Amino acid sequence: MTKALHEMAVEEVAPLIETKQVSPVEVVRDVFRQVRKKNETLNVYLEITREEAMERAKIAEKEIMNGRYLGMYHGIPLSIKDNIYFKGRGATMGSKIHEFFVSDFDATVVRKLKQAGANFTGKVNMHEYAWGITTNNPHFGPCRNPWDTSRIPGGSSGGSGVAVAADMCMASLGTDTAGSIRIPASACGIVGLKPTHGLVSKYGCFPLSWSLDHLGPMTKTVRDAAGLLEILVGFDPLDPTSVHAPFVDYQKGLTGQLKNLVIGVDEDYFFHNIDPEIDNIVRRGIQQLEDAGAKVKPINVRSLQYAEYSEMITILSEAATIHQKNLKERPEDFGEDIKPLLALGQLPSAVDYLEAQQLRRKIKQEFAEAFQKVDVFISPTLPIVPPKIGEEVIELNGKETDIVTQMIRMTGPANLTGLPALSVPCGFADGLPVGMQLMGPAFSEALLLNVGYVFEKVSDMKNRKPVMNH
């Protein structure tokens, strides 16, 4: 083997496990070596479940030796964002308030992963209550970007992004309310998929904003994401937003053919005020897809001008509702960055909230019309490179700008509309990874994954790994 086990993608190591060339015990042991080596610097894991993982690896080994191989994720070490419930384990939500909370049941996604034979390495760091994009956690310390440890890894699923990028697990689960899977995927140079709203159950995941929340895979490769999605999907009566959708073999959909794919490019919204280097990298990526057979069509979703307003009113109002009791009784226990946001969420009126929902419907309708003309929208995932830890303002094209507003600008529309969106690594700006975002119609995950798969083959990211600066 030319690669160490921990460096491999799931798609590379799973066949070795299936054919008994490698034991799940060897795999998990190798991954934990990376955890031991890197966790102190990167501050990824809030809880490491090494002993349980070693036990589960032995059980997986026995099952496979006895001819009971359960599929791609059997014996694969996975980390979980710390707002997803795991029976008998803590879930802090990255907060002081839930510091000692222990769940007495498994989230639906955890139950499904257990049934698929997956292994679990522990719970990873996140932005407090998932309400932020830096994972600069005031209670557990900042999580650090493995490409440059002075910089943020994105958030709120920052720990998940770093764990995968730094080979401290082989895949992870994140949550996404305004971009929280795709932002760290872009910042850390991995694949992140926010599925269609309702496709993956959120039961057993602590909410930030119930109408915007999603749960999805964060992986090293597109095929890994496709395989993980196959496990996670399915109607769940325990989740009121869950939908019935036909099962799709996402891996089979990775044909590598684009067959006259039409890429929509909205210059006014998705390419407005972007870091010039990121702009060039993503446009080069689109050109590479054109060279592979796709066509590009300029298209304008006019109501996207209201997306930021609609997203912020919705998330502020819903988050304030969820946290109102603790905000009254324990205001001093919230971090200094999210406390004002939760207080701000009490200001919008019912009229403001309902207006935001009407705008949201209009944006959704215009996207549906746009998807009659194009197959996917492509944009940068982030308009800026990951800022330094502690920075709140950066300069973009000669003007000072707030980093939170900038970092959710490209990703927020997919949450508002509930449409699927995939971030794939696209290149490097200033030595930091750049993500390309693909957004499609509802339930077009197979299409997005296939486009991402084609791009992965031509992208210059292949096999580049972060070398940590200390």
Side-chain angles (χ1 to χ4, degrees), residues 134-150:
T134 64
T135 316
N136 185 5
N137 191 296
H139 313 294
F140 302 104
C143 192
R144 297 178 180 277
N145 194 311
W147 296 90
D148 177 349
T149 54
S150 71

Side-chain angles (χ1 to χ4, degrees), residues 10-149:
V10 179
E11 63 175 299
E12 295 170 304
V13 84
L16 301 177
I17 290 174
E18 184 183 8
T19 54
K20 308 181 183 70
Q21 294 174 65
V22 162
S23 158
V25 176
E26 292 172 78
V27 176
V28 80
R29 195 177 282 138
D30 202 38
V31 164
F32 276 117
R33 275 193 206 106
Q34 298 310 300
V35 174
R36 200 162 51 243
K37 199 185 291 182
K38 299 176 178 179
N39 198 51
E40 194 178 337
T41 303
L42 297 174
N43 193 29
V44 173
Y45 280 90
L46 299 182
E47 182 183 30
I48 298 168
T49 53
R50 192 178 189 283
E51 282 174 28
E52 294 91 328
M54 293 310 294
E55 280 308 308
R56 272 194 295 269
K58 287 172 191 164
I59 292 165
E61 180 183 66
K62 206 171 279 180
E63 286 169 339
I64 293 159
M65 293 310 283
N66 291 334
R68 284 180 39 236
Y69 181 68
L70 299 173
M72 184 177 184
Y73 276 82
H74 198 174
I76 297 294
L78 251 130
S79 69
I80 291 181
K81 187 175 179 177
D82 204 26
N83 58 350
I84 299 167
Y85 295 2
F86 194 107
K87 189 175 181 178
R89 291 268 149 220
T92 68
M93 331 312 162
S95 75
K96 186 178 178 180
I97 291 169
H98 278 90
E99 192 175 0
F100 302 111
F101 169 77
V102 173
S103 174
D104 59 359
F105 69 95
D106 284 329
T108 297
V109 288
V110 169
R111 178 175 55 76
K112 285 173 174 256
L113 283 164
K114 283 182 176 179
Q115 286 166 353
N119 205 341
F120 301 94
T121 50
K123 297 298 221 43
V124 288
N125 206 346
M126 58 181 282
H127 205 105
E128 184 177 0
Y129 286 119
W131 206 169
I133 47 79
T134 64
T135 316
N136 185 5
N137 191 296
H139 313 294
F140 302 104
C143 192
R144 297 178 180 277
N145 194 311
W147 296 90
D148 177 349
T149 54

Side-chain angles (χ1 to χ4, degrees), residues 187-235:
C188 295
I190 65 164
V191 173
L193 174 66
K194 181 201 80 63
T196 306
H197 194 251
L199 186 65
V200 173
S201 171
K202 299 191 294 285
Y203 178 71
C205 176
F206 192 90
L208 167 58
S209 168
W210 59 83
S211 75
L212 297 167
D213 291 346
H214 300 67
L215 207 150
M218 298 177 73
T219 58
K220 295 182 186 186
T221 68
V222 172
R223 185 176 291 280
D224 287 5
L228 189 46
L229 187 63
E230 285 170 17
I231 296 167
L232 301 177
V233 297
F235 176 73

